[in-house]
Amino acid sequence: KIDKVLFSPILGKVIFFTVLAIVVFISYGQIGSNLTIKLEDFIVPKLNIVSNFLINCGFKVGADFFEKVLVEGVFSVLLYLPQLALMLSLIYMLEDSGYLPRVAVSFNQILRLLGMEGQSIFSLIMGIGCTTSAVLCTRNIANDGCQKINTMRFLPFVGCGAKFPILIMMASMLAGEKGVMIIFLMYLISIIFGMIYLVVTKKSKDYIGGFVVEVPKLKAPNIIKCVKQSIVIAIELFKRIVFSVLIVASVVWLLGSLSVNFEFLTQEKSILDFLAEKISFVFYPIGITSSKLVKALISGVVAKENVLSVLGVLGGLELSLVQGMSFLIFIMLYTPCVAALKCVSCEFGKKEAIKMFFRSMIIAYIASFVFYTFSLVDLVVGVVMMFVVCLLVVLGVKIYQKNIPKLKTERQTL
């Protein structure tokens, strides 16, 4: 009787989204935040002692490195682990209870249209919180073929939790109380672009074979087992990404701390400021005319939270509505953070990580360019034309793919 409700085409999906909302609320709401706050209260005083010790000993450069690289870089990843472990625990409980396999069956038909499968829904759920953990979650996909790869490729378009504060800040600055519409539009644009990308790149062989998943009886989950499993995954995640985050954060810190004469800054411009100014012309066609915004984008490669901190430091940033929305579109679509790319490299290989980086940058630039160009006429025209151009690209690729066999035959004949 319960399964009749859970497998219902409409009611079953309503129940799932309700359960999903509860999981996200617990993980990133007051309960998850309290875990992070407790960890922060436990570790921050000790970090402050080390920082003050370095300052008192006259190691100002060392103190600055410790604060900006270890604390703001590595420690920010560590702070996220309690919420990640909590979300993983809840998902493992749902899986152990037998509910998630039923969700996989319910969503399988929809996701197969995009080259994924029912079990991909678990990774997509994780992607709401963090792309890094979502990449690890693709291990649950039994099929190691195209369905698993397509799930990984779609994850950057889901929109991780670190982008949400950026959207809130920029949307409120651009539109005040109506900013919620901008936030909704940004997520909608990102999801649609991800769907278009998968439709463009899918091949007929992506859909060969059936979907097999065991649907066990519903039961009470083993809570202790699920918590232990989630902690192990969270620790493994931290071990995998901490070294990469440390290296990239150190490079960004050096670029931001050294002057063009390779001396530690006093009042001069840093190498990072110099680079941002030199490459800022590349972003003029998409409405990003400030080198400070370019600096924020560069910092966001390490972690998207850095974009928010850089924008907060800038203060008094004057942007038109069109410029602000173009910047947000770029933020939503451009490359995931170093931690996510490192996980992609570990799970799928370095080539996939490199492809993800350049693919995301190209898609973000084209989308922002089309939007900004046509929005100079009208905002609605900009949004419409952005999707029209995407559809034209899809049709062009589809026509090309259909003509490939004919072209091969003609070449062989010649």
Side-chain angles (χ1 to χ4, degrees):
K1 291 181 179 178
I2 295 175
D3 278 342
K4 285 183 179 180
V5 177
L6 296 180
F7 284 118
S8 171
I10 298 176
L11 188 57
K13 291 178 175 59
V14 172
I15 293 173
F16 165 72
F17 285 112
T18 303
V19 172
L20 173 61
I22 293 172
V23 170
V24 173
F25 178 76
I26 292 175
S27 303
Y28 298 99
Q30 189 172 3
I31 297 176
S33 298
N34 286 338
L35 291 175
T36 299
I37 290 171
K38 287 182 180 180
L39 179 62
E40 189 174 9
D41 291 340
F42 176 74
I43 298 180
V44 167
K46 297 175 177 59
L47 295 176
N48 289 335
I49 292 174
V50 176
S51 180
N52 292 332
F53 174 77
L54 291 173
I55 293 174
N56 293 332
C57 291
F59 297 113
K60 293 184 179 180
V61 175
D64 189 61
F65 175 84
F66 180 81
E67 182 179 348
K68 293 184 179 179
V69 176
L70 298 180
V71 177
E72 295 181 6
V74 177
F75 181 64
S76 63
V77 177
L78 180 63
L79 276 181
Y80 181 74
L81 293 184
Q83 290 177 310
L84 172 61
L86 179 58
M87 176 178 261
L88 283 171
S89 299
L90 295 172
I91 290 177
Y92 285 137
M93 288 178 197
L94 292 173
E95 184 177 12
D96 196 44
S97 68
Y99 174 65
L100 281 191
R102 287 162 171 78
V103 174
V105 173
S106 299
F107 281 87
N108 180 60
Q109 189 174 2
I110 298 173
L111 292 175
R112 279 182 73 84
L113 296 175
L114 297 174
M116 295 183 279
E117 65 175 32
Q119 288 179 318
S120 301
I121 193 68
F122 313 147
S123 296
L124 300 182
I125 295 170
M126 295 295 296
I128 298 172
C130 177
T131 306
T132 307
S133 56
V135 172
L136 286 179
C137 197
T138 56
R139 295 178 181 181
N140 293 331
I141 301 174
N143 188 342
D144 289 333
C146 298
Q147 286 84 353
K148 188 172 183 177
I149 294 175
N150 286 338
T151 303
M152 176 271 296
R153 290 174 177 172
F154 187 74
L155 288 175
F157 299 100
V158 174
C160 68
K163 295 178 181 178
F164 190 63
I166 303 172
L167 291 175
I168 293 176
M169 176 182 149
M170 292 291 294
S172 60
M173 183 182 74
L174 294 171
E177 296 180 354
K178 297 181 180 179
V180 67
M181 297 299 295
I182 295 179
I183 295 174
F184 174 77
L185 180 62
M186 291 302 119
Y187 274 104
L188 183 64
I189 289 172
S190 184
I191 294 293
I192 291 177
F193 266 89
M195 295 171 66
I196 291 173
Y197 170 74
L198 289 186
V199 170
V200 169
T201 57
K202 75 176 182 179
K203 301 176 183 178
S204 57
K205 65 180 181 179
D206 293 2
Y207 301 90
I208 296 175
F211 172 64
V212 180
V213 62
E214 181 185 357
V215 181
K217 293 182 178 180
L218 292 170
K219 63 174 184 177
N222 187 332
I223 298 177
I224 296 177
K225 174 187 173 184
C226 294
V227 171
K228 286 182 178 179
Q229 191 175 3
S230 66
I231 293 175
V232 169
I233 294 294
I235 293 174
E236 180 185 354
L237 170 66
F238 182 74
K239 288 180 179 178
R240 284 193 170 200
I241 66 178
V242 64
F243 187 65
S244 298
V245 172
L246 178 62
I247 291 176
V248 177
S250 299
V251 171
V252 173
W253 174 79
L254 276 174
L255 294 177
S257 300
L258 294 175
S259 67
V260 291
N261 297 321
F262 295 97
E263 298 176 352
F264 280 97
L265 293 176
T266 52
Q267 300 294 328
E268 301 176 39
K269 288 184 178 180
S270 66
I271 298 176
L272 185 60
D273 293 326
F274 178 77
L275 290 175
E277 289 179 359
K278 290 299 181 181
I279 66 172
S280 59
F281 72 93
V282 176
F283 296 91
Y284 289 167
I286 64 175
I288 301 176
T289 57
S290 171
S291 61
K292 295 179 180 179
L293 288 179
V294 178
K295 182 179 177 181
L297 292 175
I298 296 173
S299 301
V301 175
V302 180
K304 293 297 176 285
E305 293 85 354
N306 291 346
V307 175
L308 191 66
S309 62
V310 172
L311 291 177
V313 170
L314 297 180
L317 196 63
E318 294 184 3
L319 289 174
S320 66
L321 179 61
V322 174
Q323 287 178 313
M325 290 183 65
S326 179
F327 177 76
L328 288 180
I329 290 171
F330 193 87
I331 285 287
M332 289 297 294
L333 298 175
Y334 92 128
T335 179
C337 63
V338 173
L341 293 174
K342 177 61 178 178
C343 273
V344 171
S345 177
C346 293
E347 296 291 323
F348 298 92
K350 292 182 180 179
K351 287 185 178 179
E352 281 296 335
I354 294 172
K355 285 180 182 178
M356 177 177 283
F357 175 82
F358 286 104
R359 178 173 62 240
S360 300
M361 296 297 286
I362 292 171
I363 292 174
Y365 193 90
I366 293 174
S368 298
F369 173 74
V370 174
F371 170 80
Y372 181 71
T373 301
F374 287 97
S375 291
L376 295 177
V377 178
D378 186 78
L379 193 65
V380 177
V381 174
V383 175
V384 172
M385 287 304 299
M386 184 171 57
F387 291 122
V388 168
V389 170
C390 287
L391 291 174
L392 290 176
V393 171
V394 171
L395 291 174
V397 172
K398 285 295 179 185
I399 293 172
Y400 175 74
Q401 288 176 344
K402 287 182 179 180
N403 289 330
I404 285 178
K406 296 180 181 179
L407 292 173
K408 288 183 178 179
T409 304
E410 290 176 0
R411 286 175 183 174
Q412 290 174 357
T413 304
L414 291 171

